[in-house]
């Protein structure tokens, strides 16, 4: 598979008036706009699914690579379920949302309730709840796992139009948690909640010399940990967060629950040269000059070393949605020190072009059968290449993605389903113990493969 197939160029002239429906990044068409349906309620959706004999895919917020969402034949359907969103019910320790609810709305609702999920949020909050669960979306911290692991009920619309509710007591629950839309359509999810916690996040810059030892230690010592590795300069920018003290929490409450900067104005210039170099690489790769591009803000904010106090969504749900190629591979945490050493040796030998720092996040084990963190603590290595203004991509940046994915796949890595990856590198049955069980369940739930497309057929059939 060549890089052009793996990492498609972007159509910078695509519009919402085009006869073809594009994914969010405008690098793939999903189908003809006439194939799009927008049911207004669950009953209408049931009737539509039961009566349709072609393929059906749900588009969600269209953030995923096009291959996951697209359909081929003229009789196939794309579903926009945005009308089926919002809070359905709540108890003292649970909330039930419609599957198409945006994560931003879930988090805002929880904040108003003074509640939170045990899982750390993914950085991009414009995903739908069902879509984020279906692809294994995760945050950071060994004391939690993915968003899907906080579900205690998942309502699934089956291929025959009937509804089934799955709970952890059901043997199939682990398959339904992370299903890529291959088993049915998630119409509602009940999530367990807990009282909102306030955190203080400490931001530091330091050498990557001892990253092999430091990374596991940060994740053992702190509730939440995220790091950016500037391999060119052997530098790290690290966020480590613990629960706030009583004094820090009081200060936050007195600040009208807005983020409090604990050491504002103290400054730290240790990474400035590294940041300037990274920005220059990005300017050259994207052909965008000046500071106007959103993608540059993702780097310039590394100049800020203020420790901050806030809730988990204020501190960690800070993604900037910019069209990009994003590759993220999860590897067993136990193997991470030796993998970091291999990346260092590979970099020293090849001196590849670094477009953006490597993003490192770790999570606890997941109960989802096809979750990249299934049954093991996992360290995720994330890699980004931003699109240029003309829709092209840095060849050197893409070469780096291609080569480092090979290295991680060889170490038992599992790719994030909602991002880009080279399918030919993975022996799915070897890295997922429940792979064949999932395939069998898919055949049972959807014998006519109504919820399939070319991508899923190649993956499972």
């Amino acid at each position: 598979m060549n890089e052009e197939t793996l990492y498609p160029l972007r159509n910078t002239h695509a519009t919402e008036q085009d006869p073809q429906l594009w994914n969010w990044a405008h690098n793939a068409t999903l189908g003809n706009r006439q194939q799009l349906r927008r049911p207004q309620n669950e009953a209408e959706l049931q009737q539509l699914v039961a009566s349709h004999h072609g393929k059906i895919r749900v588009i969600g917020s269209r953030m995923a690579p096009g291959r996951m969402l697209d359909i081929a034949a003229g009789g196939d359907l794309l579903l926009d379920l945005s009308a089926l969103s919002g809070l359905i019910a709540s108890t003292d320790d649970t909330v039930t949302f419609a599957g198409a609810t945006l994560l931003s709305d879930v988090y805002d609702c929880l904040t108003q309730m003074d509640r939170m999920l045990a899982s750390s949020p993914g950085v991009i909050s414009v995903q739908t709840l069902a879509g984020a669960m279906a692809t294994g979306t995760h945050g950071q911290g060994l004391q939690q796992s993915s968003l899907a692991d906080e579900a205690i009920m998942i309502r699934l619309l089956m291929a025959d139009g009937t509804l089934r509710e799955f709970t952890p007591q059901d043997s199939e629950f682990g398959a339904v948690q992370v299903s890529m839309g291959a088993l049915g359509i998630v119409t509602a999810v009940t999530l367990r909640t807990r009282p909102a916690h306030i955190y203080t996040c400490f931001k530091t810059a330091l050498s990557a010399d001892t990253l092999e030892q430091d990374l596991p230690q940060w994740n053992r010592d702190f509730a939440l940990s995220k790091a950016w590795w500037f391999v060119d300069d052997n530098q790290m920018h690290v966020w480590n967060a613990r629960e706030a003290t009583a004094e820090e929490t009081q200060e936050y409450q007195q600040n009208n629950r807005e983020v409090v900067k604990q050491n504002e104005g103290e400054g730290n210039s240790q990474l400035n040269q590294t940041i300037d170099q990274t920005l220059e690489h990005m300017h050259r790769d994207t052909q965008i000059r000046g500071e106007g591009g959103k993608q540059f803000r993702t780097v310039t904010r590394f100049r800020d070393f203020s420790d901050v106090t806030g809730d988990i969504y204020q501190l960690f749900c800070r993604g900037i949605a910019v069209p990009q190629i994003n590759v993220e591979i999860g590897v067993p945490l136990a193997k991470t020190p030796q993998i970091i050493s291999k990346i260092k040796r590979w970099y020293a030998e090849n001196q590849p072009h670094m477009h953006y720092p490597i993003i490192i996040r770790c999570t606890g084990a997941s109960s989802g059968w096809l979750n990249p963190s299934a049954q093991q603590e996992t360290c995720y290595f994330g890699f980004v290449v931003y699109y240029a203004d003309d829709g092209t991509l840095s060849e050197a940046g893409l070469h780096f993605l291609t080569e480092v994915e090979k290295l991680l796949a060889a170490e038992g890595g599992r790719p994030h389903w909602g991002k880009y990856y080279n399918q030919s590198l993975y022996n799915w049955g070897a890295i997922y113990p429940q792979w064949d069980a999932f395939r069998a369940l898919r055949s049972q739930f959807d014998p006519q493969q109504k919820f399939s497309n070319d991508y899923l057929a190649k993956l499972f059939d």
Side-chain angles (χ1 to χ4, degrees):
M1 186 176 292
N2 60 41
E3 290 180 2
E4 185 175 347
T5 304
L6 281 175
Y7 314 125
L9 302 184
R10 185 168 181 260
N11 183 349
T12 58
H13 303 293
T15 71
E16 292 303 312
Q17 285 70 50
D18 288 353
Q20 295 292 313
L21 185 70
W22 292 84
N23 67 340
W24 175 83
H26 289 171
N27 64 13
T29 57
L30 308 183
N32 192 296
R33 199 170 289 275
Q34 293 179 345
Q35 297 170 279
L36 184 65
R37 300 290 185 274
R38 294 184 174 90
Q40 295 303 298
N41 52 57
E42 195 173 61
E44 186 179 330
L45 175 62
Q46 282 183 269
Q47 193 280 329
L48 183 62
V49 169
S51 62
H52 187 68
H53 299 290
K55 305 296 186 186
I56 298 174
R57 293 300 285 165
V58 178
I59 63 173
S61 56
R62 294 186 280 167
M63 299 291 290
R67 64 186 182 183
M68 289 195 69
L69 308 176
D70 69 3
I71 52 176
D76 296 343
L77 292 182
L78 294 168
L79 297 182
D80 176 352
L81 303 185
S82 54
L84 283 68
S85 64
L87 180 68
I88 296 173
S90 64
T91 69
D92 288 346
D93 55 6
T94 70
V95 287
T96 301
F97 285 96
T101 308
L102 296 181
L103 292 184
S104 56
D105 294 334
V106 171
Y107 300 152
D108 287 347
C109 184
L110 289 171
T111 299
Q112 292 171 14
M113 296 177 175
D114 203 24
R115 309 288 296 178
M116 64 179 284
L117 304 178
S119 63
S120 176
V123 296
I124 302 297
S125 63
V126 292
Q127 303 173 74
T128 64
L129 173 59
M133 289 175 52
T135 53
T137 293
H138 63 92
Q140 51 275 307
L142 293 182
Q143 298 172 20
Q144 54 84 61
S145 192
S146 75
L147 177 64
D149 287 278
E150 297 313 306
I152 57 172
M153 187 284 293
I154 300 172
R155 187 156 73 228
L156 199 66
L157 177 60
M158 313 300 289
D160 62 1
T162 60
L163 289 166
R164 287 186 60 183
E165 293 189 352
F166 295 87
T167 70
Q169 287 69 49
D170 294 305
S171 60
E172 310 97 335
F173 190 72
V176 177
Q177 283 177 290
V178 179
S179 68
M180 289 172 279
L183 301 181
I185 298 173
V186 173
T187 65
V189 180
T190 299
L191 302 161
R192 61 179 143 240
T193 69
R194 63 179 184 177
H197 293 214
I198 307 304
Y199 295 87
T200 293
C201 180
F202 302 93
K203 301 179 184 180
T204 55
L206 64 164
S207 166
D209 283 348
T210 56
L211 181 58
E212 293 90 334
Q213 295 78 45
D214 293 340
L215 183 69
Q217 194 64 48
W218 295 330
N219 280 277
R220 299 297 179 197
D221 291 348
F222 291 91
L224 305 162
S225 182
K226 185 174 183 179
W228 292 262
W229 182 10
F230 295 83
V231 187
D232 278 336
D233 295 293
N234 196 40
Q235 292 286 318
M236 303 295 302
H237 181 87
V238 185
W239 292 5
N240 287 322
R242 56 150 172 78
E243 287 193 31
T245 65
E247 292 77 13
E248 291 164 349
T249 300
Q250 183 180 21
E251 186 178 8
Y252 170 75
Q253 301 289 358
Q254 291 173 346
N255 197 43
N256 296 315
R257 300 175 68 89
E258 296 292 336
V259 172
V260 174
K261 289 191 174 184
Q262 299 292 349
N263 50 356
E264 189 171 8
E266 292 183 14
N268 186 319
S269 60
Q270 184 174 340
L271 271 181
N272 283 2
Q273 183 176 348
T274 295
I275 292 167
D276 289 340
Q277 178 176 298
T278 301
L279 287 170
E280 183 54 38
H281 286 170
M282 289 175 64
H283 283 304
R284 186 166 57 248
D285 290 348
T286 61
Q287 305 161 34
I288 302 170
R289 308 310 300 179
E291 299 295 332
K294 289 182 181 178
Q295 54 270 66
F296 302 124
R297 299 210 308 267
T298 68
V299 176
T300 55
R301 67 186 181 191
F302 293 136
R303 298 188 196 277
D304 184 359
F305 280 81
S306 299
D307 300 335
V308 289
T309 298
D311 70 34
I312 195 169
Y313 305 115
Q314 291 170 319
L315 300 187
F316 284 92
C317 194
R318 298 188 58 201
I320 300 173
V322 181
Q324 61 188 252
I325 295 297
N326 193 324
V327 172
E328 187 177 42
I329 312 298
V331 299
L333 181 65
K335 297 178 67 174
T336 298
Q338 68 190 59
I339 290 171
I340 290 172
S341 294
K342 285 189 176 183
I343 293 175
K344 286 181 176 180
R345 289 195 297 272
W346 171 76
Y347 180 85
E349 292 169 3
N350 296 278
Q351 294 294 309
H353 174 75
M354 289 294 297
H355 174 87
Y356 194 83
I358 299 174
I359 306 163
I360 306 178
R361 299 182 290 171
C362 301
T363 75
S366 170
S367 59
W369 292 4
L370 298 192
N371 194 308
S373 296
Q375 302 180 22
Q376 62 189 20
E377 293 182 325
T378 300
C379 181
Y380 289 90
F381 291 83
F383 312 90
V384 172
V385 174
Y386 289 108
Y387 280 95
D389 265 359
D390 63 359
T392 60
L393 292 155
S394 161
E395 291 185 9
L398 294 184
H399 178 71
F400 175 81
L401 296 188
T402 301
E403 294 305 310
V404 79
E405 184 181 4
K406 292 176 184 176
L407 187 155
L408 294 172
E411 296 293 333
R414 298 166 173 170
H416 188 299
W417 294 116
K419 299 180 181 180
Y420 294 85
Y421 62 90
N422 183 347
Q423 188 171 323
S424 68
L425 297 177
Y426 302 94
N427 180 344
W428 303 115
I431 59 178
Y432 283 105
Q434 295 285 74
W435 185 260
D436 288 337
F438 184 93
R439 293 177 65 229
L441 195 65
R442 175 172 174 260
S443 297
Q444 176 190 332
F445 279 15
D446 186 14
Q448 304 303 317
Q449 305 299 287
K450 183 177 287 189
F451 299 120
S452 188
N453 65 359
D454 287 346
Y455 164 75
L456 292 179
K458 291 174 183 176
L459 195 63
F460 294 116
D461 300 336

